[in-house]
């Protein structure tokens, strides 16, 4: 999966580090990046989450070309979009194809230059030019100041009206305990909506594991020792007790005898 490799390189992690944080193996990460395996959405979201990224949903913008009488053809979208900072405040080098002025440099940080550049993009730009430089919120702010022909303004007006729809937001200072506030391209670290990573799987024992297998009888006797009560009436200060336990399939008994020092437990079988 190309997204995993891009996010890993941006975050500066190696495949081994990503595998350790994502609770998977390096071979699996390598298979994802080479396209040999495809992670599920939950797995991809978990891997991107540990790298400080997340999966996002982008809306496709439909552009349509119009050919009105009396003016040049132009393109118009069905919805507006946002351009991230600082791209929306770059300086563009494009000729003034509207007023045919000699100026070709437009600083989008300046309101006057941004207004002139937006007029050029709307009237003479292609969809790939507008989607890159024309920010929807800044366009709405400048809409009433733009010098556009009536047919162009009429076609663009539905998208502007949708972007201008107002919503009533409650008191933002009394929303604690609810879902965290989110933005289109940013999240507050520590308030992500991703599910927590699953717990690590229990260790597996293979048939070639050199470690000795745990003795179930020893574990059962140890659990019985935790419930032992001391009999103060034992003669000569010897703490003697008898515990019945199945130490073998033949149902033989275990006699547990304790000396005065707690560290000298002795177990004799009869």
């Amino acid at each position: 999966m190309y997204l995993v490799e891009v996010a890993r390189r941006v975050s500066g992690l190696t495949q081994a580090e990503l595998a350790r944080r994502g609770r998977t193996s390096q071979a699996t990460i390598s298979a994802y990046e080479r396209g040999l395996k495809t992670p599920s959405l939950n797995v991809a979201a978990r891997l991107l989450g540990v790298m400080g990224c997340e999966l996002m949903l982008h809306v496709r913008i439909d552009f349509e070309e119009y050919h009105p009488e009396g003016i040049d053809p132009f393109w118009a979208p069905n919805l507006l979009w946002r351009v991230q900072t600082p791209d929306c405040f770059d300086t563009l080098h494009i000729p003034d194809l509207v007023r045919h002025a000699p100026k070709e440099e437009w600083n989008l940080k300046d309101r006057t230059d941004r207004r002139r550049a937006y007029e050029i993009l709307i009237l003479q730009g292609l969809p790939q030019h507008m989607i890159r430089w024309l920010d929807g919120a800044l366009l709405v702010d400048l809409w009433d100041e733009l010098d556009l022909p009536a047919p162009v303004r009429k076609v663009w007006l539905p998208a502007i009206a949708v972007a201008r729809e107002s919503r009533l937001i409650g008191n933002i200072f009394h929303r604690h305990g609810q879902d965290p506030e989110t933005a289109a391209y940013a999240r507050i670290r520590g308030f992500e909506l991703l599910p927590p990573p699953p717990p690590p799987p229990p260790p597996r024992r293979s048939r070639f594991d050199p470690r000795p297998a745990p003795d179930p009888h020893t574990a059962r006797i140890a659990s019985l020792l935790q419930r032992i009560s001391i009999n103060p009436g034992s003669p000569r200060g010897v703490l003697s007790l008898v515990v019945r336990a199945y130490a073998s399939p033949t149902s033989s008994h275990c006699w547990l005898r304790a000396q005065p020092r707690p560290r000298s437990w002795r177990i004799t079988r009869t």
Side-chain angles (χ1 to χ4, degrees), residues 241-244 253-257 266-270:
L241 48 93
V242 175
V243 178
R244 291 184 179 274
H253 295 150
C254 282
W255 292 82
L256 308 183
R257 185 174 300 276
R266 294 185 300 178
I267 301 177
T268 58
R269 298 179 183 270
T270 60

Side-chain angles (χ1 to χ4, degrees), residues 105-117:
E105 185 174 295
W106 313 96
N107 185 358
L108 298 182
K109 291 190 289 290
D110 182 77
R111 186 180 184 88
T112 302
D113 282 7
R114 183 167 63 249
R115 176 171 57 83
R116 295 286 300 277

Side-chain angles (χ1 to χ4, degrees), residues 14 23 35 43 54 65 88 90 102 105 153 166 185 206 220 257:
T14 63
R23 301 186 184 280
V43 173
E54 66 177 8
E65 188 177 13
C88 61
D90 284 344
E105 185 174 295
R153 187 173 291 274
S166 61
Y185 300 103
S206 65
R220 185 175 302 174
R257 185 174 300 276

Side-chain angles (χ1 to χ4, degrees), residues 29-258:
I29 299 297
S30 177
Y32 289 158
E33 294 185 356
R34 290 184 296 166
L36 302 180
K37 297 176 62 177
T38 302
S40 63
L41 287 179
N42 290 335
V43 173
R46 186 179 79 245
L47 294 177
L48 294 176
V50 300
M51 294 183 287
C53 305
E54 66 177 8
L55 291 174
M56 297 186 63
L57 177 67
H58 290 278
V59 179
R60 296 289 183 180
I61 307 297
D62 295 327
F63 281 87
E64 185 176 352
E65 188 177 13
Y66 294 86
H67 299 265
E69 296 182 0
I71 61 175
D72 295 335
F74 65 93
W75 293 84
N78 63 328
L79 294 172
L80 297 185
W81 59 94
R82 296 303 311 272
V83 178
Q84 297 187 37
T85 56
D87 296 345
C88 61
F89 297 116
D90 284 344
T91 299
L92 304 184
H93 294 267
I94 53 177
D96 189 351
L97 302 176
V98 178
R99 295 180 176 85
H100 303 285
K103 183 176 181 179
E104 297 185 357
E105 185 174 295
W106 313 96
N107 185 358
L108 298 182
K109 291 190 289 290
D110 182 77
R111 186 180 184 88
T112 302
D113 282 7
R114 183 167 63 249
R115 176 171 57 83
R116 295 286 300 277
Y118 279 15
E119 291 173 355
I120 297 173
L121 290 172
I122 291 175
L123 294 175
Q124 299 292 333
L126 297 176
Q128 54 266 35
H129 300 147
M130 290 186 278
I131 201 76
R132 181 68 176 85
W133 307 112
L134 200 151
D135 180 76
L138 298 178
L139 174 62
V140 170
D141 181 57
L142 288 173
W143 181 250
D144 295 332
E145 306 174 21
L146 297 180
D147 185 11
L148 299 174
V152 177
R153 187 173 291 274
K154 179 180 179 181
V155 172
W156 276 76
L157 190 57
I160 298 294
V162 171
R164 279 181 168 175
E165 288 183 356
S166 61
R167 297 180 300 167
L168 178 61
I169 306 299
N171 193 334
I172 63 173
F173 298 106
H174 293 83
R175 295 173 63 88
H176 301 291
Q178 300 182 10
D179 293 338
E181 301 290 347
T182 60
Y185 300 103
R187 297 291 184 271
I188 304 174
R189 187 177 298 277
F191 289 86
E192 294 85 356
L193 301 180
L194 294 176
R204 294 182 178 180
R205 297 183 58 86
S206 65
R207 57 184 300 182
F208 303 104
D209 195 337
R211 296 175 299 176
D215 185 7
H217 307 300
T218 304
R220 185 175 302 174
I221 293 175
S223 64
L224 291 174
L225 289 176
Q226 296 177 357
R227 303 181 226 171
I228 291 176
S229 60
I230 299 176
N231 183 10
S234 300
R236 291 187 299 234
V238 177
L239 306 181
S240 60
L241 48 93
V242 175
V243 178
R244 291 184 179 274
Y246 292 103
S248 66
T250 57
S251 300
S252 61
H253 295 150
C254 282
W255 292 82
L256 308 183
R257 185 174 300 276

